[in-house]
Amino acid sequence: MTRHLQTDLDRLKKEVLAMGALVEEAINRAIRALVARETDLAKEVAAGDDAIDRKELEVEDMCLKMLALHQPVAGDLRYIIAVLKVNNDLERMGDLAGNIAERAQFLSTHAPLPVDIDFTRMVESVRRMVRQSLDALVNQDPDLARKVCLADEEVDGFQRHMFETLTSLMQRDSSTVERAVQVLSVSRHLERIGDSATNIAEDVVFMVEGDVIRHQPRGRLHRAGT
Amino acid sequence: MRYTAAHSMRASFFWRLYVGCVALILLSTVTLGVWFERRARADMLSDLDASLRARLVLLQDIAAGHWEEPASPELELRIQRLGIEGEARLTLVRPDGVVIADSERDPASIGNHRLRPEIEAAARTGEGSAERDSETVGRPYRYIARAVRVDGELVGFVRAAFPLDEVDARITDLRVSTVLTALAAAGIAVLVALSFASRVSAPLAATAALAERIARGDYAGPTEPVAGADEIARLSEAIATMNRQLEERLETITAHRNKVLAILGGMVEGVVAIDADERIVHMNAVAARLLGANPAEVEGRRIWEITRVLAVSDLLDHARKTGEPRSAACTLVPAGDAGSAQVEIELRASAIRDGAGELFGAVLVMHDVTELRRLENVRRDFVANVSHELKTPLTAIRGMVETMIDDPEMPKEMQSRFLDRVRDQSLRLSALVTDLLSLAKIEANEGRGERALIDLRARVREGVARFGEVAARKRITLVAELPEQDCTVQTDEESLRQILDNLLDNACKYTPEGGKVWARILRRPGELRFEVEDSGIGIEPADQARVFERFYRVDKARSRDLGGTGLGLSIVKHLASSLGGSVSLESTPGRGSTFRVHFPA
C-alpha cells in the first residue's frame, strides 16, 4: 500500500514537473516572440495552450485519485494538496503566456512605440521567479521559495514604472494608445505570472514545512527567509 | 562503527583464547592439588599406621607378663615415657576392657574400653583401627589396636593412637605450601598463556586490520604480510596478494574510467546517460552547461528533476522505453540570459542495452547547432541576396528598355533619362559583379597575392587624396593622422588599396554633410593599425557583428540609395584576413563608427 503510494507520488511529481516544463517553455517562447517580434512563435504558444490544459486535467485527476485511493495523511496529504494548487497556478501561468503571445502577435505587426520600452529586466526577473519557483518545487527547497516571494516586489516595481511611462506617453501622443494598451497588458500579464510563481513558492513552503505564509507581511517572511 | 565491531571481535578472540588457557591451567592446578593432598594424606596415614604398629610391637614386649596384675607404677612410667618419646598415646587394655596403663592418663580415670570400635575389631580379627574423637582426651585420634594372645589365649589389647589434628596440621601446612606453589606455577602459566594468546592473536589482528583497510577501499597503504609459515601467515599473504591484485584492477578501472570521462568531457557535444529508473548516470560538462545544471549534483537524480526541457526528458524516456533511437531539435534559453542568447540544440537519444540485450537506460547527445544554423542562414541569405541584387537592376533595365521599344514615339529627353537610368543600373550591376568576383578571387587566392614591402603612410595619403573630391562635395573634413616613423608592412598593394578605398568610401557615405572623417595609422605593440573613424550615423550593437557579412545592410533602402553593393565590408574583412590581419569595429549609434584593420607588425 505504502509502496504504491510512493510510486504514485513519484509519478505525480514527474507529471507536475512536466506541466511546469510546458508552462516555462510557453512563457519563454511568449517572451521571445515579444522581444524578437516573431509572429510565428507567438502563434505556436497560443496553440500549445491546449497541451497545458490537458496536462492540468491529468494532474488534477491523479491527485484526486490518490486522495480517494490512498487516503494519505500528514506530509503526503500536504504534498498532494500543494500539487493541486501548484497545478492550478501553472495552468493560469500558461494562460497568461498565451495572452502575452497574443499581444506579441499584435505588436509585431505594428511599429514599435516611440519610447524606449525595455522589458529585458522585468522579463528576466519574471523568468527567474518562474524558474526558481519550479526549482524550489523540485528540490523541496523552502529557502529558495522564500526568495521567489521576495522577488515579487521587484516585479511589481517594474510594472508600476511601466504603467507610469505608458500613461504619460498616451497623454502626450494619442496615436500610440492602441499599442501602449497592448504593451501595458503584456506587462500586467508578466506581473501576474510573477504572482503565480509566488503562489507556487508559498505552496512549496506549505508543502515542506506545513507553514502557511500567505497573507503575511513581507517583513516577517524576510526574517524567516534569512 | 565498523572499527569497534572489528575491535571487539579481535578482543573477543584474544580473550577467548586467553580465558580458555587460564581455565585449563586452573583446572589442572586444582585437580593436581586435590589429588596431591589426598595422596599425601593417605601416605601420611599409612606411614602413621606403620609407626603405630611398630610401637604396638614394642608395647607388647613391655607389657608381656604384666597383664594379670594391676599396673605397676614403673610399668606406667615406662609407658608414659615411651608415649612421650614416641609422640603417641599408648594404652594397655585387659580383655574385659579395663585399662591397665595409659601414657597420658591415669588408668583409673579411664572408662571401660571394651566397646571402643578398634578394640572390638581387634577382638574379632586380631587388629583394628579407627579414626574418631577420643572420649577420654576429646581430640580426634587415629587408633590401632591389636589383640595380644599368649598360647592362643587372649590376654589383652595393646593400642597406639596418634592425634589426627596433628596430621591435619601437617596436611594443612602441606596444603598451604601446595597452594602457594600451585598459585605461583599458575601465575607463571597465566603470564605465559597471555604471551601465547597475544602471539597467536596479534598476527590475526594484523591480518584482520589489513582486510578491514582493504574493505574500506584503502588499497594504497603498506601490505606487509605476517611473517611465518603457519595458517595465519598464509591467510595474511593471500590477503596481501588479493590487495595487490585489487589495487591493480582498480587502477585499470580508474584509468579506463578517467579515459572515458576525459573523452566525454572533451566532447563538444553534451552527453547525458540515464538508467532504467530515469536516474542520471552521467552528464558531461557541456550538457550540464546547456541544461543549467551543476554536474557535481546531478548524478543519481531523476532527469526530469534536473531539467525542465521537455524535449530532453521525453526523448530519453522514449528511447528508454522503446529502445528506438529518436532525434529532435529544441531551443534552449540558458538561465541568466535574456531572450537573445538562445541556443539551438539538436538532440539524439538512443537506448543503452546491457550484455544480455536488455534495455538498461538511454543516452542523449546534445549538439549545439547555433553556429551551424547561423552559417546556414548566412548562406541562404547570400544566395537569396545575390539573386535579388542581380535581379533588381536587370529588371529595371529590362523594364526601361521594353518601355522604349514599346514606345518609339518617346520624347527625346525622356529617352535620354531612361538611357541614363539604364546606364546607372548597368554600372551597379557591373560594380556588383566586380565585387562578387573580387570576393571569389580573394577566397580562391587567400594569402597568395604578390607581397611587397609597402609604406602604409604613402598609400593612406594617396587614398585620402582620392577621396578629397567626394568629401569636399559633402563638405566632410577628411583628415589623415599619420605617425612620423616608417610604417612599412609586407602586403599586397592591390588588396591594400581596396581596403583603404572601401573603408574611406563607407565613411564618406555614412557621414552626414559637415561631418568629419579621420584616417589614422597607429603603431601598437605587435601590430600596425589602420583605422578610419567617422562622425556618422553609427551602427546598432545588434548589427555590429553582422555588418561584415555579405549583403548585410543595416538600412537596406539607404545603402542602395548610396550606391552600395552590400559587399564592401565583407571584401575588407576577407582581404584583411588574406593578408594575415583582422578587422574590428567600434561604434556608437548616432555618434559615429571606427573601423580598424590590424596588420601584424
Side-chain angles (χ1 to χ4, degrees):
Chain A
M1 185 73 176
T2 339
R3 249 201 17 232
H4 284 183
L5 178 61
Q6 197 50 52
T7 325
D8 279 2
L9 282 171
D10 265 11
R11 255 184 57 219
L12 183 63
K13 190 175 183 189
K14 181 178 178 178
E15 288 305 312
V16 77
L17 285 177
M19 170 95 177
L22 279 173
V23 171
E24 198 180 7
E25 203 165 289
I27 293 171
N28 283 340
R29 282 175 157 197
I31 285 171
R32 215 159 70 222
L34 177 77
V35 175
R37 301 169 70 87
E38 287 182 39
T39 324
D40 295 347
L41 203 56
K43 282 181 190 150
E44 271 177 44
V45 175
D49 198 40
D50 282 352
I52 295 178
D53 290 350
R54 271 201 307 278
K55 195 60 122 186
E56 190 220 357
L57 291 177
E58 215 175 291
V59 171
E60 193 176 293
D61 203 40
M62 275 182 81
C63 288
L64 295 179
K65 269 191 191 145
M66 283 173 72
L67 286 176
L69 224 67
H70 300 298
Q71 304 186 337
V73 289
D76 294 339
L77 180 62
R78 275 211 309 276
Y79 183 83
I80 295 173
I81 287 173
V83 165
L84 264 174
K85 292 159 92 178
V86 166
N87 189 34
N88 220 338
D89 284 324
L90 283 173
E91 194 273 335
R92 255 199 36 218
M93 285 159 91
D95 285 348
L96 291 167
N99 288 346
I100 292 178
E102 275 170 30
R103 305 286 169 266
Q105 226 169 313
F106 173 87
L107 288 170
S108 62
T109 52
H110 290 73
L113 284 177
V115 290
D116 193 18
I117 300 287
D118 190 6
F119 271 120
T120 329
R121 283 177 60 204
M122 181 169 188
V123 155
E124 204 32 61
S125 295
V126 170
R127 274 191 42 196
R128 196 186 315 117
M129 282 176 75
V130 172
R131 200 174 56 235
Q132 287 181 344
S133 67
L134 290 174
D135 282 346
L137 178 68
V138 177
N139 300 324
Q140 306 273 299
D141 182 349
D143 294 342
L144 189 62
R146 288 198 165 88
K147 241 184 241 168
V148 174
C149 299
L150 293 173
D152 193 39
E153 277 171 52
E154 194 183 300
V155 172
D156 289 353
F158 285 133
Q159 149 77 359
R160 266 196 304 280
H161 174 87
M162 198 68 80
F163 181 80
E164 283 156 17
T165 317
L166 290 167
T167 329
S168 69
L169 173 72
M170 286 189 274
Q171 278 163 354
R172 263 182 300 154
D173 181 355
S174 62
S175 72
T176 59
V177 168
E178 201 185 358
R179 284 169 287 159
V181 166
Q182 299 278 342
V183 172
L184 196 57
S185 103
V186 166
S187 92
R188 218 184 57 236
H189 290 327
L190 279 174
E191 189 260 337
R192 283 216 199 138
I193 289 179
D195 288 348
S196 293
T198 310
N199 286 348
I200 291 178
E202 285 163 355
D203 292 341
V204 169
V205 175
F206 166 72
M207 187 190 284
V208 180
E209 298 179 350
D211 267 354
V212 177
I213 60 164
R214 271 176 297 164
H215 320 305
Q216 281 184 7
R218 288 290 189 242
R220 255 199 74 192
L221 189 65
H222 209 295
R223 271 202 305 282
T226 46
Chain B
M1 193 65 197
R2 212 173 344 170
Y3 176 72
T4 52
H7 189 258
S8 79
M9 184 213 78
R10 195 179 65 190
S12 113
F13 174 73
F14 168 76
W15 282 113
R16 253 174 13 217
L17 192 64
Y18 183 52
V19 166
C21 285
V22 168
L24 217 58
I25 289 164
L26 291 184
L27 182 70
S28 47
T29 313
V30 167
T31 313
L32 207 66
V34 169
W35 175 81
F36 180 73
E37 192 195 309
R38 291 246 171 103
R39 186 63 199 269
R41 189 186 163 90
D43 280 357
M44 221 179 259
L45 284 181
S46 74
D47 281 358
L48 186 66
D49 283 0
S51 74
L52 287 180
R53 273 193 199 98
R55 285 189 186 89
L56 283 184
V57 173
L58 219 65
L59 195 60
Q60 219 174 319
D61 272 2
I62 292 168
H66 295 287
W67 294 104
E68 297 306 320
E69 72 260 37
S72 59
E74 62 261 45
L75 178 69
E76 268 187 47
L77 208 69
R78 279 182 71 187
I79 286 173
Q80 268 176 21
R81 221 178 46 237
L82 198 64
I84 289 163
E85 279 168 7
E87 293 177 336
R89 182 180 166 203
L90 304 171
T91 316
L92 295 179
V93 184
R94 244 188 247 161
D96 56 1
V98 175
V99 176
I100 301 169
D102 190 276
S103 65
E104 288 177 14
R105 289 277 188 277
D106 179 17
S109 68
I110 299 170
N112 194 301
H113 268 50
R114 185 65 183 89
L115 291 177
R116 298 291 198 276
E118 66 277 5
I119 302 287
E120 275 202 319
R124 273 200 314 277
T125 61
E127 190 180 293
S129 65
E131 273 171 42
R132 60 180 174 77
D133 285 355
S134 153
E135 282 167 29
T136 320
V137 186
R139 286 164 69 188
Y141 273 85
R142 170 81 179 168
Y143 297 98
I144 290 187
R146 191 176 277 176
V148 181
R149 291 175 194 275
V150 176
D151 303 329
E153 195 179 330
L154 181 69
V155 288
F157 300 97
V158 284
R159 190 183 74 167
F162 192 81
L164 270 179
D165 44 6
E166 267 180 48
V167 174
D168 282 342
R170 269 194 233 158
I171 284 183
T172 305
D173 276 357
L174 192 68
R175 191 188 285 151
V176 166
S177 59
T178 309
V179 165
L180 283 180
T181 314
L183 273 182
I188 291 167
V190 160
L191 286 177
V192 170
L194 185 70
S195 103
F196 164 74
S198 67
R199 239 196 7 252
V200 171
S201 76
L204 207 59
T207 309
L210 179 65
E212 276 162 26
R213 215 189 58 212
I214 295 169
R216 274 199 306 275
D218 175 12
Y219 306 102
T223 52
E224 200 55 46
V226 176
D230 59 4
E231 291 88 337
I232 293 175
R234 265 166 51 208
L235 174 67
S236 141
E237 176 65 46
I239 288 178
T241 312
M242 195 173 76
N243 179 37
R244 273 196 300 279
Q245 283 174 354
L246 266 178
E247 198 181 343
E248 275 168 26
R249 227 163 278 175
L250 199 76
E251 262 171 29
T252 317
I253 292 171
T254 311
H256 186 70
R257 185 167 177 268
N258 285 346
K259 222 184 293 172
V260 171
L261 283 183
I263 292 171
L264 286 176
M267 278 174 75
V268 185
E269 289 85 6
V271 177
V272 182
I274 60 165
D275 63 10
D277 207 22
E278 288 184 276
R279 294 186 189 280
I280 295 172
V281 179
H282 180 76
M283 178 182 279
N284 72 356
V286 178
R289 184 174 50 77
L290 286 173
L291 297 177
N294 180 355
E297 282 176 5
V298 297
E299 214 154 288
R301 295 190 66 187
R302 298 266 169 72
I303 179 71
W304 39 263
E305 285 183 334
I306 295 304
T307 176
R308 282 191 297 276
V309 180
L310 278 178
V312 169
S313 38
D314 283 355
L315 226 57
L316 277 169
D317 209 30
H318 180 265
R320 182 180 63 89
K321 280 185 184 145
T322 64
E324 291 165 17
R326 185 182 265 193
S327 305
C330 73
T331 307
L332 297 183
V333 188
D337 281 313
S340 58
Q342 42 179 289
V343 187
E344 302 281 337
I345 302 288
E346 262 181 22
L347 306 166
R348 185 170 174 83
S350 34
I352 310 176
R353 289 168 194 277
D354 61 11
E358 290 292 307
L359 287 177
F360 170 73
V363 62
L364 177 86
V365 177
M366 312 170 75
H367 198 151
D368 184 346
V369 290
T370 316
E371 186 60 21
L372 210 66
R373 286 280 145 78
R374 197 186 65 80
L375 288 176
E376 265 172 24
N377 282 341
V378 167
R379 205 188 53 207
R380 207 172 30 235
D381 286 356
F382 178 70
V383 173
N385 281 327
V386 166
S387 27
H388 178 74
E389 299 283 337
L390 289 174
K391 254 172 101 177
T392 314
L394 274 177
T395 314
I397 291 169
R398 207 176 87 190
M400 281 177 284
V401 171
E402 275 175 356
T403 315
M404 281 159 71
I405 291 170
D406 286 351
D407 187 7
E409 311 289 298
M410 187 179 270
K412 199 76 180 161
E413 87 276 14
M414 196 188 251
Q415 230 174 47
S416 70
R417 213 169 62 224
F418 268 39
L419 286 171
D420 273 351
R421 300 257 298 272
V422 167
R423 191 193 52 207
D424 285 352
Q425 292 295 339
S426 53
L427 279 177
R428 225 185 108 193
L429 206 54
S430 141
L432 193 66
V433 171
T434 312
D435 278 357
L436 277 175
L437 280 177
S438 53
L439 255 182
K441 210 164 77 192
I442 298 162
E443 278 184 0
N445 292 334
E446 207 137 319
R448 273 180 288 163
E450 287 280 316
R451 299 271 182 99
L453 276 176
I454 292 165
D455 187 3
L456 207 52
R457 287 181 302 172
R459 301 292 162 242
V460 172
R461 242 179 255 124
E462 283 168 23
V464 168
R466 271 201 299 283
F467 279 87
E469 199 191 328
V470 181
R473 224 183 295 141
K474 277 183 85 177
R475 288 187 289 110
I476 291 172
T477 322
L478 187 53
V479 190
E481 291 177 1
L482 306 174
E484 300 284 304
Q485 307 99 305
D486 178 45
C487 299
T488 316
V489 278
Q490 175 91 23
T491 186
D492 165 24
E493 184 158 6
E494 174 58 22
S495 306
L496 188 61
R497 194 189 56 77
Q498 275 192 47
I499 290 174
L500 297 184
D501 283 4
N502 268 312
L503 288 180
L504 287 170
D505 186 38
N506 270 356
C508 292
K509 267 184 202 156
Y510 294 104
T511 304
E513 292 204 1
K516 220 173 164 188
V517 172
W518 295 266
R520 292 194 197 95
I521 295 173
L522 297 164
R523 294 174 70 95
R524 287 283 178 272
E527 67 171 28
L528 200 59
R529 190 192 291 167
F530 167 63
E531 64 178 41
V532 176
E533 185 183 344
D534 63 53
S535 62
I537 54 174
I539 299 167
E540 290 285 336
D543 295 317
Q544 288 183 11
R546 299 196 62 189
V547 290
F548 292 104
E549 285 175 19
R550 292 163 191 174
F551 294 115
Y552 189 84
R553 291 183 170 101
V554 175
D555 184 341
K556 294 200 160 88
R558 168 146 48 180
S559 163
R560 218 167 282 137
D561 284 351
L562 294 169
T565 58
L567 290 171
L569 285 173
S570 177
I571 289 173
V572 169
K573 183 185 163 191
H574 277 86
L575 283 173
S577 67
S578 82
L579 294 174
S582 60
V583 289
S584 64
L585 161 64
E586 195 181 305
S587 182
T588 316
R591 301 269 300 276
S593 316
T594 308
F595 286 90
R596 299 197 175 95
V597 183
H598 309 266
F599 295 104

